Amino acid sequence: MKVGIFGTGNVGRTMAERFLADENEVMIGTRNVRNTLEREDRDNPGHLSYQEWQKKHPQIRLGTFAETAAFGDIVVLATLGNATQHAIDMAGVKNFASKIVIDMTNPLDFSNGIPPRFTGTLGNSLGEQIQKLLPEAKVVKAFNSVSVQIVVNPKREEGDPVMFIAGDDESAKQTVSEIAKKWGWKDLVDFGSITESYFLEAFAMMWIHYAFKNNSWTHAFKFLRK
């Protein structure tokens, strides 16, 4: 399978490594390939610069957003929420037609510092906006409510965390669920149509605020029901 990933930060890179480990072909999308390849800055202590990371993973291709959307059988949106529409515009809507689009984004505003402000509104969630921008794509909101390290390796000593997903296409949700199960997710809950994205995004804010308040990024939620 070919997987295109939007976003060259930690989330996008970690997802690329996981899909590559599963023997998929992977391309990461960026605004400007040359500028990204020349980046030597490290966004966080302990992280590789993009240039260092790319040299370590030569099998992962780097392309423009348009090239990456055209390349992928599945396209993963791992961009900052407020940059997602611009990335889609640069990619071209036609390049997403009939494809599964995994939406990991959250509507966050960092302009006043941290923790970020939630900008989602009922009936106009980021997931819904993306589906409207891509009417011929099958958008699935998933993997947005925990750190990416837990997304690709959910096994916890404390128990199995829950992952909620939402989308209009049942087969697309099934495909995303199968990917998650392969990674170790045992508790997946289909929350319904893409209109439910608002609640998944709002739920993510609990994880985000706890993380910033406690400077801890390893927590997850468990869903108890009979």
Side-chain angles (χ1 to χ4, degrees):
M1 182 171 67
K2 294 181 178 179
V3 181
I5 299 173
F6 281 29
T8 57
N10 180 52
V11 177
R13 297 183 208 181
T14 303
M15 293 293 283
E17 291 171 13
R18 176 73 247 205
F19 277 111
L20 182 67
D22 291 339
E23 300 183 343
N24 298 293
E25 295 181 60
V26 182
M27 178 181 285
I28 286 188
T30 186
R31 289 177 178 82
N32 186 298
V33 172
R34 181 176 177 179
N35 288 351
T36 299
L37 285 173
E38 292 176 351
R39 267 172 37 199
E40 298 180 352
D41 59 301
R42 299 185 178 190
D43 52 5
N44 283 301
H47 287 187
L48 297 176
S49 68
Y50 189 86
Q51 186 179 98
E52 293 168 326
W53 181 85
Q54 183 70 72
K55 289 178 181 178
K56 188 177 178 181
H57 300 91
Q59 314 96 313
I60 298 173
R61 289 179 254 181
L62 182 69
T64 64
F65 287 131
E67 290 169 339
T68 302
F71 169 84
D73 302 311
I74 291 178
V75 180
V76 180
L77 301 180
T79 49
L80 289 174
N82 59 4
T84 304
Q85 180 171 344
H86 181 56
I88 290 172
D89 289 342
M90 291 183 71
V93 172
K94 67 179 184 302
N95 286 321
F96 295 88
S98 302
K99 297 184 178 182
I100 295 174
V101 176
I102 302 176
D103 170 26
M104 299 180 66
T105 66
N106 286 304
L108 306 176
D109 177 7
F110 287 89
S111 62
N112 291 319
I114 54 175
R117 184 173 65 90
F118 180 62
T119 61
T121 56
L122 188 61
N124 192 37
S125 65
L126 194 50
E128 290 170 279
Q129 292 178 38
I130 291 167
Q131 183 63 85
K132 289 174 183 175
L133 285 170
L134 304 173
E136 296 182 36
K138 306 164 187 176
V139 179
V140 179
K141 171 70 73 173
F143 305 141
N144 71 304
S145 57
V146 292
S147 72
V148 69
Q149 284 72 28
I150 295 176
V151 168
V152 300
N153 183 22
K155 185 175 177 58
R156 307 284 101 187
E157 291 181 4
E158 301 81 6
D160 297 314
V162 65
M163 176 57 64
F164 297 106
I165 67 173
D168 292 337
D169 188 280
E170 297 299 323
S171 64
K173 287 190 286 188
Q174 183 61 35
T175 297
V176 175
S177 295
E178 290 302 320
I179 292 170
K181 289 175 184 176
K182 186 172 184 179
W183 294 351
W185 286 93
K186 295 181 179 179
D187 193 5
L188 289 146
V189 177
D190 183 347
F191 218 65
S193 71
I194 198 67
T195 60
E196 304 298 324
S197 292
Y198 170 82
F199 299 104
L200 274 62
E201 293 166 5
F203 178 64
M205 292 305 294
M206 293 177 61
W207 190 94
I208 291 166
H209 275 253
Y210 181 92
F212 280 109
K213 182 177 185 296
N214 296 280
N215 192 29
S216 174
W217 314 90
T218 59
H219 54 289
F221 298 103
K222 188 172 180 64
F223 188 37
L224 302 178
R225 72 271 197 201
K226 291 184 179 181

PDB file of all heavy atoms in Angstrom, residues 10-34:
ATOM      1  N   ASN A  10       7.112  15.927  14.201  1.00  0.00           N
ATOM      2  CA  ASN A  10       7.231  14.664  14.936  1.00  0.00           C
ATOM      3  C   ASN A  10       6.081  13.711  14.636  1.00  0.00           C
ATOM      4  O   ASN A  10       6.291  12.503  14.477  1.00  0.00           O
ATOM      5  CB  ASN A  10       7.281  14.952  16.439  1.00  0.00           C
ATOM      6  CG  ASN A  10       7.398  13.684  17.260  1.00  0.00           C
ATOM      7  OD1 ASN A  10       8.264  12.853  17.031  1.00  0.00           O
ATOM      8  ND2 ASN A  10       6.500  13.533  18.231  1.00  0.00           N
ATOM      9  N   VAL A  11       4.859  14.237  14.520  1.00  0.00           N
ATOM     10  CA  VAL A  11       3.707  13.366  14.262  1.00  0.00           C
ATOM     11  C   VAL A  11       3.831  12.710  12.893  1.00  0.00           C
ATOM     12  O   VAL A  11       3.700  11.495  12.757  1.00  0.00           O
ATOM     13  CB  VAL A  11       2.386  14.152  14.380  1.00  0.00           C
ATOM     14  CG1 VAL A  11       1.199  13.251  14.026  1.00  0.00           C
ATOM     15  CG2 VAL A  11       2.210  14.703  15.789  1.00  0.00           C
ATOM     16  N   GLY A  12       4.094  13.517  11.888  1.00  0.00           N
ATOM     17  CA  GLY A  12       4.220  12.975  10.546  1.00  0.00           C
ATOM     18  C   GLY A  12       5.361  11.985  10.411  1.00  0.00           C
ATOM     19  O   GLY A  12       5.224  10.926   9.789  1.00  0.00           O
ATOM     20  N   ARG A  13       6.495  12.304  11.019  1.00  0.00           N
ATOM     21  CA  ARG A  13       7.654  11.408  10.927  1.00  0.00           C
ATOM     22  C   ARG A  13       7.383  10.071  11.619  1.00  0.00           C
ATOM     23  O   ARG A  13       7.746   9.012  11.098  1.00  0.00           O
ATOM     24  CB  ARG A  13       8.877  12.066  11.561  1.00  0.00           C
ATOM     25  CG  ARG A  13       9.345  13.330  10.873  1.00  0.00           C
ATOM     26  CD  ARG A  13      10.606  13.833  11.552  1.00  0.00           C
ATOM     27  NE  ARG A  13      10.749  15.270  11.419  1.00  0.00           N
ATOM     28  CZ  ARG A  13      11.768  15.961  11.911  1.00  0.00           C
ATOM     29  NH1 ARG A  13      12.736  15.327  12.573  1.00  0.00           N
ATOM     30  NH2 ARG A  13      11.848  17.272  11.770  1.00  0.00           N
ATOM     31  N   THR A  14       6.761  10.131  12.805  1.00  0.00           N
ATOM     32  CA  THR A  14       6.485   8.905  13.552  1.00  0.00           C
ATOM     33  C   THR A  14       5.502   8.021  12.800  1.00  0.00           C
ATOM     34  O   THR A  14       5.662   6.791  12.747  1.00  0.00           O
ATOM     35  CB  THR A  14       5.950   9.237  14.953  1.00  0.00           C
ATOM     36  OG1 THR A  14       6.894  10.073  15.645  1.00  0.00           O
ATOM     37  CG2 THR A  14       5.725   7.975  15.775  1.00  0.00           C
ATOM     38  N   MET A  15       4.489   8.634  12.212  1.00  0.00           N
ATOM     39  CA  MET A  15       3.537   7.861  11.416  1.00  0.00           C
ATOM     40  C   MET A  15       4.226   7.256  10.199  1.00  0.00           C
ATOM     41  O   MET A  15       3.969   6.100   9.828  1.00  0.00           O
ATOM     42  CB  MET A  15       2.379   8.750  10.987  1.00  0.00           C
ATOM     43  CG  MET A  15       1.493   9.228  12.133  1.00  0.00           C
ATOM     44  SD  MET A  15       0.555   7.900  12.926  1.00  0.00           S
ATOM     45  CE  MET A  15      -0.745   7.641  11.703  1.00  0.00           C
ATOM     46  N   ALA A  16       5.121   8.013   9.583  1.00  0.00           N
ATOM     47  CA  ALA A  16       5.846   7.502   8.413  1.00  0.00           C
ATOM     48  C   ALA A  16       6.684   6.284   8.789  1.00  0.00           C
ATOM     49  O   ALA A  16       6.710   5.281   8.059  1.00  0.00           O
ATOM     50  CB  ALA A  16       6.734   8.602   7.832  1.00  0.00           C
ATOM     51  N   GLU A  17       7.368   6.353   9.919  1.00  0.00           N
ATOM     52  CA  GLU A  17       8.186   5.232  10.366  1.00  0.00           C
ATOM     53  C   GLU A  17       7.331   3.996  10.620  1.00  0.00           C
ATOM     54  O   GLU A  17       7.724   2.872  10.288  1.00  0.00           O
ATOM     55  CB  GLU A  17       8.942   5.618  11.635  1.00  0.00           C
ATOM     56  CG  GLU A  17      10.031   6.646  11.415  1.00  0.00           C
ATOM     57  CD  GLU A  17      10.618   7.155  12.731  1.00  0.00           C
ATOM     58  OE1 GLU A  17      10.353   6.534  13.788  1.00  0.00           O
ATOM     59  OE2 GLU A  17      11.334   8.169  12.708  1.00  0.00           O
ATOM     60  N   ARG A  18       6.145   4.199  11.206  1.00  0.00           N
ATOM     61  CA  ARG A  18       5.275   3.064  11.517  1.00  0.00           C
ATOM     62  C   ARG A  18       4.742   2.407  10.246  1.00  0.00           C
ATOM     63  O   ARG A  18       4.747   1.182  10.115  1.00  0.00           O
ATOM     64  CB  ARG A  18       4.118   3.553  12.393  1.00  0.00           C
ATOM     65  CG  ARG A  18       3.076   2.509  12.730  1.00  0.00           C
ATOM     66  CD  ARG A  18       3.616   1.517  13.737  1.00  0.00           C
ATOM     67  NE  ARG A  18       3.764   0.207  13.157  1.00  0.00           N
ATOM     68  CZ  ARG A  18       3.753  -0.918  13.850  1.00  0.00           C
ATOM     69  NH1 ARG A  18       3.630  -0.879  15.167  1.00  0.00           N
ATOM     70  NH2 ARG A  18       3.896  -2.069  13.266  1.00  0.00           N
ATOM     71  N   PHE A  19       4.278   3.225   9.316  1.00  0.00           N
ATOM     72  CA  PHE A  19       3.777   2.666   8.050  1.00  0.00           C
ATOM     73  C   PHE A  19       4.901   1.982   7.277  1.00  0.00           C
ATOM     74  O   PHE A  19       4.678   0.949   6.643  1.00  0.00           O
ATOM     75  CB  PHE A  19       3.128   3.758   7.207  1.00  0.00           C
ATOM     76  CG  PHE A  19       1.705   4.056   7.575  1.00  0.00           C
ATOM     77  CD1 PHE A  19       1.349   5.254   8.169  1.00  0.00           C
ATOM     78  CD2 PHE A  19       0.699   3.129   7.317  1.00  0.00           C
ATOM     79  CE1 PHE A  19       0.024   5.535   8.505  1.00  0.00           C
ATOM     80  CE2 PHE A  19      -0.634   3.392   7.649  1.00  0.00           C
ATOM     81  CZ  PHE A  19      -0.962   4.598   8.247  1.00  0.00           C
ATOM     82  N   LEU A  20       6.097   2.547   7.320  1.00  0.00           N
ATOM     83  CA  LEU A  20       7.231   1.924   6.645  1.00  0.00           C
ATOM     84  C   LEU A  20       7.555   0.573   7.279  1.00  0.00           C
ATOM     85  O   LEU A  20       7.835  -0.400   6.566  1.00  0.00           O
ATOM     86  CB  LEU A  20       8.454   2.842   6.712  1.00  0.00           C
ATOM     87  CG  LEU A  20       9.704   2.322   5.998  1.00  0.00           C
ATOM     88  CD1 LEU A  20       9.492   2.273   4.493  1.00  0.00           C
ATOM     89  CD2 LEU A  20      10.917   3.204   6.344  1.00  0.00           C
ATOM     90  N   ALA A  21       7.505   0.506   8.601  1.00  0.00           N
ATOM     91  CA  ALA A  21       7.777  -0.754   9.300  1.00  0.00           C
ATOM     92  C   ALA A  21       6.782  -1.838   8.910  1.00  0.00           C
ATOM     93  O   ALA A  21       7.094  -3.034   8.978  1.00  0.00           O
ATOM     94  CB  ALA A  21       7.754  -0.529  10.808  1.00  0.00           C
ATOM     95  N   ASP A  22       5.584  -1.407   8.506  1.00  0.00           N
ATOM     96  CA  ASP A  22       4.563  -2.357   8.059  1.00  0.00           C
ATOM     97  C   ASP A  22       4.688  -2.673   6.568  1.00  0.00           C
ATOM     98  O   ASP A  22       3.759  -3.210   5.965  1.00  0.00           O
ATOM     99  CB  ASP A  22       3.163  -1.788   8.339  1.00  0.00           C
ATOM    100  CG  ASP A  22       2.860  -1.720   9.822  1.00  0.00           C
ATOM    101  OD1 ASP A  22       3.520  -2.443  10.595  1.00  0.00           O
ATOM    102  OD2 ASP A  22       1.967  -0.949  10.224  1.00  0.00           O
ATOM    103  N   GLU A  23       5.819  -2.305   5.991  1.00  0.00           N
ATOM    104  CA  GLU A  23       6.157  -2.621   4.603  1.00  0.00           C
ATOM    105  C   GLU A  23       5.282  -1.895   3.586  1.00  0.00           C
ATOM    106  O   GLU A  23       4.980  -2.421   2.512  1.00  0.00           O
ATOM    107  CB  GLU A  23       6.129  -4.134   4.372  1.00  0.00           C
ATOM    108  CG  GLU A  23       7.122  -4.884   5.259  1.00  0.00           C
ATOM    109  CD  GLU A  23       7.147  -6.375   4.980  1.00  0.00           C
ATOM    110  OE1 GLU A  23       6.201  -6.888   4.357  1.00  0.00           O
ATOM    111  OE2 GLU A  23       8.124  -7.027   5.390  1.00  0.00           O
ATOM    112  N   ASN A  24       4.881  -0.682   3.921  1.00  0.00           N
ATOM    113  CA  ASN A  24       4.188   0.176   2.977  1.00  0.00           C
ATOM    114  C   ASN A  24       5.194   1.108   2.298  1.00  0.00           C
ATOM    115  O   ASN A  24       6.277   1.366   2.832  1.00  0.00           O
ATOM    116  CB  ASN A  24       3.132   1.028   3.697  1.00  0.00           C
ATOM    117  CG  ASN A  24       2.062   0.190   4.352  1.00  0.00           C
ATOM    118  OD1 ASN A  24       1.271  -0.461   3.675  1.00  0.00           O
ATOM    119  ND2 ASN A  24       2.037   0.185   5.677  1.00  0.00           N
ATOM    120  N   GLU A  25       4.826   1.621   1.138  1.00  0.00           N
ATOM    121  CA  GLU A  25       5.590   2.697   0.516  1.00  0.00           C
ATOM    122  C   GLU A  25       5.089   4.007   1.101  1.00  0.00           C
ATOM    123  O   GLU A  25       3.876   4.210   1.231  1.00  0.00           O
ATOM    124  CB  GLU A  25       5.382   2.698  -0.994  1.00  0.00           C
ATOM    125  CG  GLU A  25       5.906   1.467  -1.702  1.00  0.00           C
ATOM    126  CD  GLU A  25       5.684   1.562  -3.196  1.00  0.00           C
ATOM    127  OE1 GLU A  25       6.203   2.512  -3.817  1.00  0.00           O
ATOM    128  OE2 GLU A  25       4.967   0.699  -3.732  1.00  0.00           O
ATOM    129  N   VAL A  26       6.012   4.891   1.466  1.00  0.00           N
ATOM    130  CA  VAL A  26       5.634   6.096   2.200  1.00  0.00           C
ATOM    131  C   VAL A  26       6.248   7.338   1.558  1.00  0.00           C
ATOM    132  O   VAL A  26       7.424   7.343   1.185  1.00  0.00           O
ATOM    133  CB  VAL A  26       6.073   6.008   3.681  1.00  0.00           C
ATOM    134  CG1 VAL A  26       5.633   7.251   4.442  1.00  0.00           C
ATOM    135  CG2 VAL A  26       5.511   4.751   4.342  1.00  0.00           C
ATOM    136  N   MET A  27       5.434   8.380   1.459  1.00  0.00           N
ATOM    137  CA  MET A  27       5.914   9.696   1.045  1.00  0.00           C
ATOM    138  C   MET A  27       5.386  10.732   2.033  1.00  0.00           C
ATOM    139  O   MET A  27       4.228  10.678   2.445  1.00  0.00           O
ATOM    140  CB  MET A  27       5.438  10.051  -0.371  1.00  0.00           C
ATOM    141  CG  MET A  27       5.888  11.447  -0.825  1.00  0.00           C
ATOM    142  SD  MET A  27       5.292  11.885  -2.490  1.00  0.00           S
ATOM    143  CE  MET A  27       6.377  10.884  -3.503  1.00  0.00           C
ATOM    144  N   ILE A  28       6.237  11.666   2.403  1.00  0.00           N
ATOM    145  CA  ILE A  28       5.846  12.782   3.272  1.00  0.00           C
ATOM    146  C   ILE A  28       5.716  14.032   2.419  1.00  0.00           C
ATOM    147  O   ILE A  28       6.557  14.301   1.551  1.00  0.00           O
ATOM    148  CB  ILE A  28       6.872  13.001   4.399  1.00  0.00           C
ATOM    149  CG1 ILE A  28       6.747  11.904   5.454  1.00  0.00           C
ATOM    150  CG2 ILE A  28       6.694  14.356   5.043  1.00  0.00           C
ATOM    151  CD1 ILE A  28       7.574  12.143   6.693  1.00  0.00           C
ATOM    152  N   GLY A  29       4.659  14.800   2.680  1.00  0.00           N
ATOM    153  CA  GLY A  29       4.413  16.012   1.923  1.00  0.00           C
ATOM    154  C   GLY A  29       4.796  17.268   2.684  1.00  0.00           C
ATOM    155  O   GLY A  29       4.651  17.351   3.907  1.00  0.00           O
ATOM    156  N   THR A  30       5.285  18.256   1.945  1.00  0.00           N
ATOM    157  CA  THR A  30       5.705  19.523   2.521  1.00  0.00           C
ATOM    158  C   THR A  30       5.433  20.638   1.524  1.00  0.00           C
ATOM    159  O   THR A  30       5.189  20.386   0.334  1.00  0.00           O
ATOM    160  CB  THR A  30       7.204  19.470   2.880  1.00  0.00           C
ATOM    161  OG1 THR A  30       7.579  20.666   3.576  1.00  0.00           O
ATOM    162  CG2 THR A  30       8.057  19.321   1.629  1.00  0.00           C
ATOM    163  N   ARG A  31       5.485  21.873   1.992  1.00  0.00           N
ATOM    164  CA  ARG A  31       5.252  23.006   1.092  1.00  0.00           C
ATOM    165  C   ARG A  31       6.379  23.148   0.077  1.00  0.00           C
ATOM    166  O   ARG A  31       6.148  23.343  -1.105  1.00  0.00           O
ATOM    167  CB  ARG A  31       5.141  24.309   1.898  1.00  0.00           C
ATOM    168  CG  ARG A  31       3.870  24.435   2.711  1.00  0.00           C
ATOM    169  CD  ARG A  31       3.898  25.718   3.532  1.00  0.00           C
ATOM    170  NE  ARG A  31       2.666  25.881   4.276  1.00  0.00           N
ATOM    171  CZ  ARG A  31       2.412  25.283   5.434  1.00  0.00           C
ATOM    172  NH1 ARG A  31       3.326  24.475   5.968  1.00  0.00           N
ATOM    173  NH2 ARG A  31       1.269  25.469   6.062  1.00  0.00           N
ATOM    174  N   ASN A  32       7.603  23.082   0.571  1.00  0.00           N
ATOM    175  CA  ASN A  32       8.764  23.317  -0.289  1.00  0.00           C
ATOM    176  C   ASN A  32       9.804  22.234  -0.006  1.00  0.00           C
ATOM    177  O   ASN A  32      10.408  22.209   1.076  1.00  0.00           O
ATOM    178  CB  ASN A  32       9.345  24.711  -0.020  1.00  0.00           C
ATOM    179  CG  ASN A  32      10.463  25.072  -0.981  1.00  0.00           C
ATOM    180  OD1 ASN A  32      11.498  24.409  -1.033  1.00  0.00           O
ATOM    181  ND2 ASN A  32      10.265  26.143  -1.746  1.00  0.00           N
ATOM    182  N   VAL A  33      10.005  21.337  -0.956  1.00  0.00           N
ATOM    183  CA  VAL A  33      10.887  20.186  -0.748  1.00  0.00           C
ATOM    184  C   VAL A  33      12.313  20.623  -0.463  1.00  0.00           C
ATOM    185  O   VAL A  33      12.961  20.130   0.470  1.00  0.00           O
ATOM    186  CB  VAL A  33      10.838  19.250  -1.970  1.00  0.00           C
ATOM    187  CG1 VAL A  33      11.896  18.160  -1.865  1.00  0.00           C
ATOM    188  CG2 VAL A  33       9.448  18.627  -2.095  1.00  0.00           C
ATOM    189  N   ARG A  34      12.810  21.541  -1.240  1.00  0.00           N
ATOM    190  CA  ARG A  34      14.205  21.969  -1.068  1.00  0.00           C
ATOM    191  C   ARG A  34      14.430  22.580   0.301  1.00  0.00           C
ATOM    192  O   ARG A  34      15.413  22.249   0.990  1.00  0.00           O
ATOM    193  CB  ARG A  34      14.574  22.978  -2.160  1.00  0.00           C
ATOM    194  CG  ARG A  34      16.015  23.458  -2.066  1.00  0.00           C
ATOM    195  CD  ARG A  34      16.361  24.390  -3.218  1.00  0.00           C
ATOM    196  NE  ARG A  34      17.717  24.904  -3.096  1.00  0.00           N
ATOM    197  CZ  ARG A  34      18.291  25.720  -3.967  1.00  0.00           C
ATOM    198  NH1 ARG A  34      17.630  26.098  -5.050  1.00  0.00           N
ATOM    199  NH2 ARG A  34      19.526  26.143  -3.771  1.00  0.00           N
TER     200      ARG A  34
END
